[in-house]
Amino acid sequence: MKKWVYFFGGGKSEGGGEWRDLLGGKGAGLAEMTKIGLPVPAGFTISTEACDYFYKNGKKYPAALKKEVATHVARLERVTRKKLGDPKNPLLVSVRSGSARSMPGMMETILNLGLNDRSVEGLAATTKNDRFAYDAYRRFVQMYCTVVMEMSKEDLEHRLRAMKARLGFKEDTAVPASGWKELVAEYKKLFQQKTGGTFPEHPMDQLWGAIGAVFGSWMAEKAVTYRRVEKITGLLGTAVNVVQMVFGNTGDNSGTGVCFTRDPSSGEKIFYGDYLVNAQGEDVVAGIRTPMPLSEMKKAMPKVYGQLEKVRVKLERHYRDMQDMEFTVEDGKLYMLQTRTGKRTPAAAFRIAVDMADEKLITKDEALQRIKPEDIERLFYPVIDSKVDKKSLQSRVLTTGINAVPGAAVGKVIFSAREAEEWTERGEKVILVRRETSPEDVGGMAVAQGILTATGGKTSHAAVVARGWGKCCIVGAEKLDIDYANQKMSAGGKVVKQGEWITLDGGEGVVYAGDMPLVTPELPKAYATIMKWADETRRLGVRTNADTPQDARKAREFGAEGIGLVRTEHMFFTDFEQPEKSHERQRAIQEMILADNKEARVRALDKLLPFQRRDFVGIFQAMDGFPVTIRLIDPPLHEFVPHERPKQEELARDLGIDVETVARRVEQLHEANPMLGHRGCRLAITYPEILEMQVRAIIEAAIECTKAGIKVIPEIMHPLTLDRKEYMILDHASRRIADDLIKKSGVKLHYLVGTMIELPRAALLAGEIAELAEFFSFGTNDLTQTTMGLSRDDAGRFLPDYVDEKKAGIFAADPFQTLDEKGVGFLVQWGIEHGRKTRPKLEVGICGEHGGDADSVKFCHKVKMDYVSASPFRVPISRLAAAQAVVEEKLAKRKRP
Ligand code: PEP
Ligand code: MG
C-alpha cells in the first residue's frame, strides 16, 4: 500500500535528506537533521505525492490519508508526551509548506495549531504565562482566518489596532492576556459573520483546514508566478510539514533566527545571520522588526551560540554546501527548524564553489555543477561609475539602509508592484520602493531594476527573493518615510515623488537621488578559476554569433573560439567602424535591389564589395587562428527598401530614378508570407551575382589577411537550403570563385563550404546534402519555426499560454529559448547522424539562439555536435554548460548498473 506520511522525531526518521522530491526541501531537511542527531522538534511530513494526487483528483485527498494522519498524530503525541487540544498539557503544532525547490514565502504556514478555549488554559498553566498563551491563541486564530478562510488581513489588523487604542497600549508586547482574550472573541465573531460557521475548536478539524490551505497555496497566483519567473517546472507539488511548536517568544532567554554557514553576499567563510530576542520565527522573515547580527547573540547567549556554531560545522560538512538554517531558542534550549541550501549572490556562488573545492569538501566537477547559468549572467553586475566625484555623490545621498544584494540600479520610483509591471511594460526602468515586500509583490520585484524597503534585515522576504535573482536590493532603510496615499517618500527633509529617478547602491546600502551612470566591474577571481576548470572539462567548442569586428573582439574576451555565424546582411545597413558611411552602404544594396537587369545589379554590388571586404578583414583579424563562419545574405529583399512614400522619394532622388519605379518594385517584393518566401539561398539561386560578390569579398579578405600573417579559417555558409541540387549549384558557384581567386593570389588558403540546416526537409535529407556540404550549422530559430509551424515573430502573443502551467502548460519552456528536444531535437539528431553517415568528418554546430541556452547546449553535447555558437555575452554560459554536460554524462554512466 502506498505510504503518504513520513515521521521524524526522537532521533529517528522514516525519510532522509535525499528524498527532496517526495518530502520537499523542508521535510527532507528535518528528516536528515533528526537522523544525524541534531536537536529538531518531532513531526511528520505529508508527501508531495499526496499533493499531486489532490490536484489530479479534483482536489480530493487519497482515501488512506485520513487514517495515516491520525496514526501519525498519535505517534507525535507519544513522542512529545503531549496531546493535541489537551486542557492540561497541550501539544501545539506548526503546519508548513515545502516543495522540492525552495520558494521563499510563496506558500502558506500556520502556527500554534491545536489551541482552543480549553487548551489555551493548559498552555497558560504549563508556561506559567497567561499573556504568552493568549497572544499565541490570537496569532493562531488570526492566521487561520487569513490563511485558511482567506479573510482580509486588514480587517483583522484593524481590530487589533482598535483593541490596543481602546485599552491604551502602543506596543503588542504591552498587551495583557485579557486584551488578547478580547481580541480572540472578536476574531471569532468576525469569522462567523464572514463564513457563516463557527471557528473550529477541534484540533483535528483545525489540522485538516490547515492541510487544505497548504495544498491550495501550491496553485496560488503568487506561487505560480514565482515558479514561472524562476523556471521551476516538473515538481509534484508541496509537502505539508506538521511539527511540534517550540517558542522563541517566551521571554528574554528565548529567541529565533536565520543564519548562513557562509556569507551569502560575498561567499566569505564566516558565520552570518540575524537573531531576534523574544520573537517567533515569522518576525525575522517578515522583516517587521530589525534584528541583531549573530555576533551580538554570541555575547548575549554564549552557550547556545557555541551549540549553534557546532551545528553550522556539522551541517556544512554533512551537506557539503552552504546552508541556510532557521533556529529557535526556547528557554535557553536550541532547536533547529530548517536547513536548506542557501541562496547566494552570483559572486558568492563562484567563491563558495572554488573555496569548497580547495578545502576538498567537494570535487572540481561538483564545483562546476554548483554554478547556474544565471549566476554567470548576473556576475556582470553594474556599479556606480567611479568617475562620479565623491562630493557630488555625497550631496545626493537620500538615505541609507542594509546592503542586502550588491550591484547598482537606476530607475524611476514606483510604490506598488502592479504599477512597476505596468511601467516596465511601457518601457520604463523602475525601482520598486515598499515599506516591506510580500510574496504578492514578486511580479513587480521581478521586473524592477532594484528593490528598496524601509524595514527588514538581510533575511527578509525582499532580501531573500532579490538575492536569488541577483537583483540589487536595499532593505531596512528605516529613516525612509513612505506615503503610499500621496505616492511620495521622504528622508532627511528630501522628498521623492513617484516617477522620479533614484539610484541604489546595493553594495554599500546607499540610496541616491537622481540617475547615476553605471559601469560593469571586474570579475571576481573565482570566476576565472571556474571558467578555467570548465574549459579543461568540456568537449564542445564554443563560438560566437558576431557581425562586427567589435563584437568579435568582445566575444574573444568572453572566451569564444571562433565565429559560428556572421549575419552579413547586418553589414548592409550599418558601418560600425565608420558610421558616417552607413548611408553609402544602404544606397548600394538598395540600388542592387531596384536594378531591373543583371548589369545594373552587378554595378551596385561592385559598390558593396569593398565595404564587405573591409568588415571581413576586421573580423578575421579579431579571430586570428579561429574559424569564422560567414553566412551569405538571408532576409527577404523587401526588408532593405523603404515602405513609406517620403523615404521612397528620397531614395528615388538619390538614385536618380522615378519614385513610381521605386514604389512599384517595393510592391513587387511584397510577400504574404515572407518567412517562407524569397529569402535565404533562394536569393542566390535567382541572383547568382549576389553570391559571387559575397564569396569574392570573403576570399579576398582572407587572402589579404593571410598575406599579412593572420591565420584565417573561413567557412562559407548557405542559409535555408532545402535540397541537394539546390545546394550543389551554390556549392559549385562558391568553389569556382574561391578557387580562382586563391589560385591567382598564389597564397595557401584552406576554406570550407557548408550549409545551415533550418528546414525540416534539409534535416531529413541531411545524408544527401552532406555528400557536398563540408559542414552543417543548425539554425534552430528557423528550424523551430518551420518544424513547429510557429512564427518566431508573432508566436509571443499566445506562446506564453502554452508555457503557463495554469493555462495550458503544454511546453515546459518557450521553444524559441530552450530547444524542443522531442520534435526539433529529433530532427537535429537525425540530421547529424545521417550527415555523418555520408561524411564522417562533417563539422556540426548550432547558431540559433539556443546555442546560448544552458539546457540546449547540454543537448548539443549529447548529440555530439562539434561546437555551439552564442551571442558574445552568453559565451561564458555556453562554456560552463558544455562542461556541466560532461560532468552529468560521467554521473549518468556511474549510475548505470
Ligand atoms: C536561425 O534561423 O537559427 C539563424 C541562426 O538564422 P536567423 O536567426 O538569422 O534566421
Ligand atoms: Mg535563420
Side-chain angles (χ1 to χ4, degrees), residues 567 631 634 679 719-720 756 758 779-783 792:
R567 290 178 166 103
R631 175 181 77 184
D634 180 58
R679 59 169 288 217
L720 217 75
M756 292 183 77
E758 300 180 275
T780 45
N781 302 332
D782 274 311
L783 190 59
R792 56 195 269 199

Side-chain angles (χ1 to χ4, degrees), residues 588-645:
I589 181 81
Q590 287 164 334
E591 188 183 332
M592 187 277 288
I593 293 167
L594 294 175
D596 55 7
N597 60 67
K598 187 169 175 179
E599 287 70 42
R601 238 183 336 267
V602 171
R603 249 193 331 270
L605 286 165
D606 281 346
K607 291 186 194 165
L608 266 177
L609 177 74
F611 292 123
Q612 291 239 293
R613 195 169 45 214
R614 177 155 57 77
D615 289 340
F616 294 144
V617 167
I619 291 174
F620 289 145
Q621 279 168 343
M623 282 292 156
D624 187 3
F626 288 121
V628 176
T629 311
I630 299 170
R631 175 181 77 184
L632 306 193
I633 188 170
D634 180 58
L637 296 182
H638 79 91
E639 286 189 15
F640 299 102
V641 286
H643 292 249
E644 315 80 46
R645 190 70 182 189

